[in-house]
Amino acid sequence: MKETRMSRLRRAFRAATLAAVALGATISPAPAWTRDAPRAAAPAAPAQRAHPRNIIFVLVDDLRYDGMGFVQQGIRTPNIDRMAREGSYFPNAVVTSSLCSPSRATILTGMTARNHGVVDNNHSSEEGLTYFPRYLQQAGYQTAFFGKWHMGSDSDMPRPGFNKWVSFKGQGSYWPTTGVPDAAKAAGTVNQLNVDGKEVGQTGYITDELTDYAMSWLEKERNPSKPFFLYLSHKAVHSDPLPPPRYAHQYDDAKFVLPASAANTPENYAGKPMWVYNQRNSWHGINFFYHADVKMTDYLKYYYGTLSAVDDSLGRIMAYLRKHGLEKDTLVVFTSDNGFQIGEHGLIDKRNAYQASVRVPLVMWEPGTVPAGAVNKGRVRNLDFAPTFLDMAGVQKPAQFEGQSAWSLINGALPAQEWKPQDFIYEYYWEYNFPMTPGTFAIQQGDLKYIQYYGVYDLDELYDLAKDPDEMRNLVNDPAYVDRKIAMRDALYAQLADRNGRHVIPYGERQSIGAVRRLRGGPGAAQFPDEWLIAPNPTDRFDDIMPDSPAKAKAHAAGQPLVPTKPLGEELKRQVNGQ
């Protein structure tokens, strides 16, 4: 029998998965399968539906872009892997702000941080914001939220737009008594959940308990005659990750491998801003991360063990959909609020504009509509979720939404090579709590990414991600890229204007000095870049102040100043003497 393209794809997928399992527990952060995998044939545009489709949006916290078994060898995520096998994987998914609250606000409002105003994790106001589930409600959807809200004020009360509500304050806790003082614990105090406006004691492991609430709503509480939108927002795998007992020792024998750029070598820091090296010995640096003495290779055992409970949760949801014949009427989306670095450039966690920080996992599943086994390279941002979901529901895009619907890309009606994504604009606003990461703005057009920093005198960065996916060669001073650099600077500045055309840096009230401590005896401060070190009285004294231009680059390439200057002392004497 002649083998079809789809059967070849599935056979290749199975072979890659078996090969990964056979390699054992040596785990590398580099993708094992996705880069060159074949893409399934795009189906014709879906036929007109008799009724609206359901949507289940599953958001995890701080999961790496490659933190899934079908991407990274040795990670065990059978249900996520099945989603990818039966659905589509989007390796170029990114977030416009790599931080919990701003990212979540962007997902829910369809706006960027500069416009929705939730710019940090310190109680930014939610006043005046409309969350996209409100529009789904108006279109006849039932909506439900389960899990971590962590946006705006530190409140767990129900928000407008949701018929069902289960949440908790702040980051929440993995277990009912995690973080409860011993005396209070002895008195029977447990962490609380807010269930439809009422405080209810947490009874079990948070990932399982949130899934129990979600399943109860699906099975017993919703009206089956109406379409639904379910938002399941896990605490996992945020620090400090605690796996449930069934997965506590899942990775005991795993040997995790950190990225090559985690090493403290001159080569790794060539062309990097000083702040990057200075953060190495800090709360968000690989040498002293979270001010603890745990190794990242050990931390990841807890991190991925915690993810396994999320994988179980997805398995329960997908089994329910199949059992009740809803799988072809329900889009399931699995993603993260931001990325997570495990030593890239000596950094950990998120916030900055490097790839491991801004990239997130994204898998979508709806058999018969979303192409099976596809690696869809079209770029999707968290900014695009709200307009996409409303488009799927037949709801007109509200005027304040800034993203674009990716539904035609997702369902295969538009091939990835024909997808025209908006520029990827990144914004991070300095937080006093973690002051070592500066205000950061970036733009990506095609494979070229430009990064600049606010409030620090440091190097800008320019990377060709096609040639340099690990961002190791800074091209910002390469004469061959001067025109593109200038054009991208202009585009970045123009697009960072808020809805009123202003370029405003928001900031919150400082309430402490922040996480500034360093490991005694650890790496010290960065040296100034070598190209900054000069002798007195340079003949191009004003050139660094002049705007970059092709003429300036040409002059410097020839060893000449753009604006010739004389030594300051001589010039002052000449002026004083009227010469």
Side-chain angles (χ1 to χ4, degrees):
M1 181 179 294
K2 186 176 180 181
E3 188 179 37
T4 66
R5 183 182 302 181
M6 183 64 73
S7 62
R8 289 196 301 271
L9 174 63
R10 288 170 176 160
R11 180 167 55 81
F13 188 102
R14 286 195 295 271
T17 303
L18 290 172
V21 172
L23 287 172
T26 299
I27 302 173
S28 166
W33 167 74
T34 57
R35 284 190 180 171
D36 299 315
R39 187 185 187 279
Q48 197 69 24
R49 298 175 61 84
H51 52 83
R53 73 175 22 85
N54 309 305
I55 304 167
I56 297 178
F57 183 71
V58 180
L59 187 72
V60 289
D61 197 320
D62 281 10
L63 183 60
R64 281 181 62 85
Y65 71 93
D66 60 359
M68 300 168 288
F70 70 94
V71 180
Q72 185 178 160
Q73 296 172 359
I75 299 299
R76 301 163 200 168
T77 52
N79 291 299
I80 300 172
D81 296 355
R82 181 173 179 179
M83 275 190 72
R85 190 165 62 248
E86 298 176 356
S88 294
Y89 168 54
F90 297 79
N92 294 318
V94 291
V95 293
T96 56
S97 297
S98 185
L99 186 62
C100 294
S101 296
S103 179
R104 291 162 190 271
T106 291
I107 290 169
L108 280 158
T109 64
M111 296 191 291
T112 55
R114 59 189 172 275
N115 284 318
H116 61 57
V118 181
V119 297
D120 56 31
N121 288 345
N122 297 317
H123 312 297
S124 300
S125 174
E126 299 176 65
E127 184 178 356
L129 299 182
T130 302
Y131 309 125
F132 77 82
R134 188 78 172 267
Y135 300 109
L136 292 178
Q137 282 182 322
Q138 294 170 358
Y141 275 73
Q142 295 173 96
T143 61
F145 182 86
F146 303 94
K148 178 179 175 180
W149 183 257
H150 197 248
M151 193 186 82
S153 61
D154 188 14
S155 168
D156 58 5
M157 291 300 291
R159 266 45 172 203
F162 295 99
N163 302 109
K164 178 70 181 182
W165 180 268
V166 178
S167 190
F168 42 74
K169 292 183 179 179
Q171 296 285 0
S173 302
Y174 282 104
W175 290 101
T177 56
T178 302
V180 177
D182 290 342
K185 190 185 305 183
T189 300
V190 297
N191 295 309
Q192 299 294 300
L193 303 178
N194 187 307
V195 180
D196 295 325
K198 297 181 179 180
E199 294 298 313
V200 176
Q202 183 179 340
T203 61
Y205 184 67
I206 190 62
T207 304
D208 297 340
E209 190 161 358
L210 291 175
T211 307
D212 289 343
Y213 276 108
M215 295 303 300
S216 176
W217 184 77
L218 284 173
E219 293 169 343
K220 305 172 186 176
E221 301 175 48
R222 68 181 181 88
N223 183 341
S225 67
K226 293 184 177 181
F228 65 83
F229 172 77
L230 188 158
Y231 190 146
L232 178 53
S233 179
H234 287 293
K235 171 181 173 56
V237 290
H238 195 280
S239 65
D240 298 330
L242 290 174
R246 64 187 183 275
Y247 294 120
H249 300 287
Q250 185 180 27
Y251 292 101
D252 281 359
D253 297 327
K255 305 295 183 184
F256 289 94
V257 179
L258 301 188
S261 64
N264 186 359
T265 65
E267 295 79 12
N268 279 344
Y269 286 101
K272 282 288 180 288
M274 290 189 297
W275 76 262
V276 178
Y277 186 82
N278 288 338
Q279 193 173 107
R280 184 179 185 94
N281 181 5
S282 76
W283 180 273
H284 287 138
I286 193 65
N287 280 93
F288 199 29
F289 76 89
Y290 303 150
H291 291 170
D293 60 356
V294 64
K295 295 179 180 179
M296 178 57 73
T297 48
D298 290 331
Y299 180 87
L300 291 174
K301 297 177 181 181
Y302 299 96
Y303 179 87
Y304 286 117
T306 303
L307 178 63
S308 288
V310 175
D311 189 75
D312 288 347
S313 173
L314 270 170
R316 292 175 63 186
I317 290 170
M318 294 167 70
Y320 169 82
L321 296 175
R322 294 188 195 96
K323 179 180 178 181
H324 295 277
L326 294 172
E327 71 273 22
K328 294 186 177 181
D329 293 319
T330 306
L331 176 73
V332 180
V333 179
F334 173 79
T335 190
S336 178
D337 60 348
N338 45 251
F340 191 81
Q341 298 162 123
I342 58 171
E344 285 87 353
H345 314 298
L347 307 175
I348 71 107
D349 214 277
K350 59 254 186 183
R351 288 178 165 81
N352 58 70
Y354 292 132
Q355 287 293 84
S357 174
V358 302
R359 290 181 65 190
V360 292
L362 179 59
V363 182
M364 298 196 189
W365 178 85
E366 185 182 338
T369 297
V370 175
V375 180
N376 191 320
K377 295 184 178 180
R379 186 171 65 228
V380 179
R381 306 162 297 177
N382 59 342
L383 185 64
D384 300 324
F385 286 132
T388 298
F389 295 155
L390 293 197
D391 186 16
M392 292 167 54
V395 178
Q396 186 175 356
K397 177 181 172 179
Q400 75 273 18
F401 278 18
E402 300 174 63
Q404 62 189 130
S405 171
W407 184 230
S408 62
L409 172 73
I410 293 164
N411 65 33
L414 183 69
Q417 61 268 27
E418 296 179 17
W419 171 243
K420 304 296 183 185
Q422 296 172 334
D423 288 347
F424 171 36
I425 303 294
Y426 181 80
E427 56 187 322
Y428 170 78
Y429 298 97
W430 180 83
E431 267 190 321
Y432 76 86
N433 319 61
F434 303 103
M436 287 310 302
T437 303
T440 303
F441 304 122
I443 180 172
Q444 183 178 339
Q445 295 177 328
D447 291 318
L448 207 60
K449 180 164 76 171
Y450 168 72
I451 310 172
Q452 64 178 216
Y453 301 99
Y454 179 85
V456 295
Y457 56 104
D458 222 328
L459 297 176
D460 289 356
E461 298 175 84
L462 184 70
Y463 298 103
D464 186 333
L465 299 175
K467 301 176 182 177
D468 180 24
D470 297 323
E471 299 164 300
M472 298 302 296
R473 185 185 173 211
N474 187 0
L475 303 170
V476 77
N477 292 321
D478 189 326
Y481 288 86
V482 64
D483 289 332
R484 289 295 308 276
K485 175 180 69 175
I486 293 169
M488 292 179 78
R489 275 181 179 165
D490 291 344
L492 176 62
Y493 182 75
Q495 294 186 59
L496 281 173
D498 67 15
R499 66 169 65 90
N500 297 311
R502 304 172 302 174
H503 289 85
V504 180
I505 302 296
Y507 65 96
E509 178 186 4
R510 179 188 279 277
Q511 297 180 334
S512 73
I513 193 61
V516 298
R517 292 184 285 186
R518 303 294 194 275
L519 175 65
R520 190 180 300 277
Q527 296 293 318
F528 291 122
D530 185 69
E531 60 265 33
W532 290 12
L533 304 177
I534 62 170
N537 299 319
T539 59
D540 62 349
R541 189 158 55 94
F542 291 113
D543 279 18
D544 287 346
I545 303 171
M546 304 300 293
D548 289 335
S549 66
K552 179 177 171 181
K554 184 178 180 181
H556 287 185
Q560 301 294 323
L562 178 68
V563 181
T565 58
K566 296 180 179 180
L568 179 61
E570 293 181 12
E571 189 68 14
L572 289 174
K573 289 180 182 179
R574 188 179 68 82
Q575 294 288 343
V576 167
N577 293 328
Q579 297 177 355

Short mmCIF file of all heavy atoms in Angstrom, two decimals, residues 13-23:
data_model
loop_
_atom_site.label_atom_id
_atom_site.label_comp_id
_atom_site.label_asym_id
_atom_site.label_seq_id
_atom_site.Cartn_x
_atom_site.Cartn_y
_atom_site.Cartn_z
N PHE A 13 7.88 10.76 13.43
CA PHE A 13 7.69 11.24 14.80
C PHE A 13 7.91 10.12 15.80
O PHE A 13 8.60 10.28 16.79
CB PHE A 13 6.27 11.80 14.93
CG PHE A 13 6.00 12.51 16.23
CD1 PHE A 13 6.02 13.89 16.29
CD2 PHE A 13 5.75 11.81 17.40
CE1 PHE A 13 5.77 14.55 17.47
CE2 PHE A 13 5.51 12.46 18.59
CZ PHE A 13 5.52 13.83 18.62
N ARG A 14 7.32 8.94 15.51
CA ARG A 14 7.49 7.81 16.42
C ARG A 14 8.95 7.38 16.51
O ARG A 14 9.47 7.08 17.58
CB ARG A 14 6.63 6.63 15.95
CG ARG A 14 5.14 6.79 16.21
CD ARG A 14 4.43 5.46 16.05
NE ARG A 14 4.51 4.97 14.68
CZ ARG A 14 3.62 5.26 13.74
NH1 ARG A 14 2.59 6.04 14.02
NH2 ARG A 14 3.74 4.78 12.52
N ALA A 15 9.64 7.40 15.37
CA ALA A 15 11.05 7.01 15.38
C ALA A 15 11.88 7.98 16.20
O ALA A 15 12.76 7.57 16.97
CB ALA A 15 11.58 6.94 13.94
N ALA A 16 11.59 9.28 16.07
CA ALA A 16 12.34 10.27 16.84
C ALA A 16 12.08 10.12 18.32
O ALA A 16 12.97 10.24 19.16
CB ALA A 16 11.95 11.69 16.38
N THR A 17 10.81 9.85 18.68
CA THR A 17 10.47 9.67 20.08
C THR A 17 11.15 8.44 20.66
O THR A 17 11.71 8.48 21.77
CB THR A 17 8.95 9.55 20.24
OG1 THR A 17 8.34 10.70 19.68
CG2 THR A 17 8.57 9.43 21.71
N LEU A 18 11.13 7.32 19.94
CA LEU A 18 11.79 6.11 20.43
C LEU A 18 13.29 6.30 20.56
O LEU A 18 13.92 5.83 21.50
CB LEU A 18 11.49 4.95 19.48
CG LEU A 18 10.03 4.44 19.48
CD1 LEU A 18 9.83 3.44 18.36
CD2 LEU A 18 9.69 3.81 20.83
N ALA A 19 13.87 7.05 19.61
CA ALA A 19 15.31 7.31 19.69
C ALA A 19 15.64 8.12 20.92
O ALA A 19 16.65 7.89 21.60
CB ALA A 19 15.78 8.03 18.43
N ALA A 20 14.77 9.11 21.24
CA ALA A 20 15.02 9.93 22.43
C ALA A 20 14.95 9.10 23.69
O ALA A 20 15.77 9.24 24.60
CB ALA A 20 14.00 11.08 22.49
N VAL A 21 13.97 8.21 23.76
CA VAL A 21 13.84 7.35 24.94
C VAL A 21 15.05 6.45 25.07
O VAL A 21 15.57 6.21 26.16
CB VAL A 21 12.54 6.53 24.86
CG1 VAL A 21 12.50 5.50 25.98
CG2 VAL A 21 11.33 7.44 24.94
N ALA A 22 15.52 5.93 23.94
CA ALA A 22 16.66 5.00 23.98
C ALA A 22 17.92 5.68 24.46
O ALA A 22 18.83 5.02 24.98
CB ALA A 22 16.89 4.43 22.58
N LEU A 23 18.00 7.01 24.35
CA LEU A 23 19.20 7.71 24.77
C LEU A 23 19.30 7.82 26.28
O LEU A 23 20.32 8.27 26.80
CB LEU A 23 19.24 9.11 24.13
CG LEU A 23 19.55 9.12 22.63
CD1 LEU A 23 19.36 10.53 22.09
CD2 LEU A 23 20.96 8.64 22.38
#
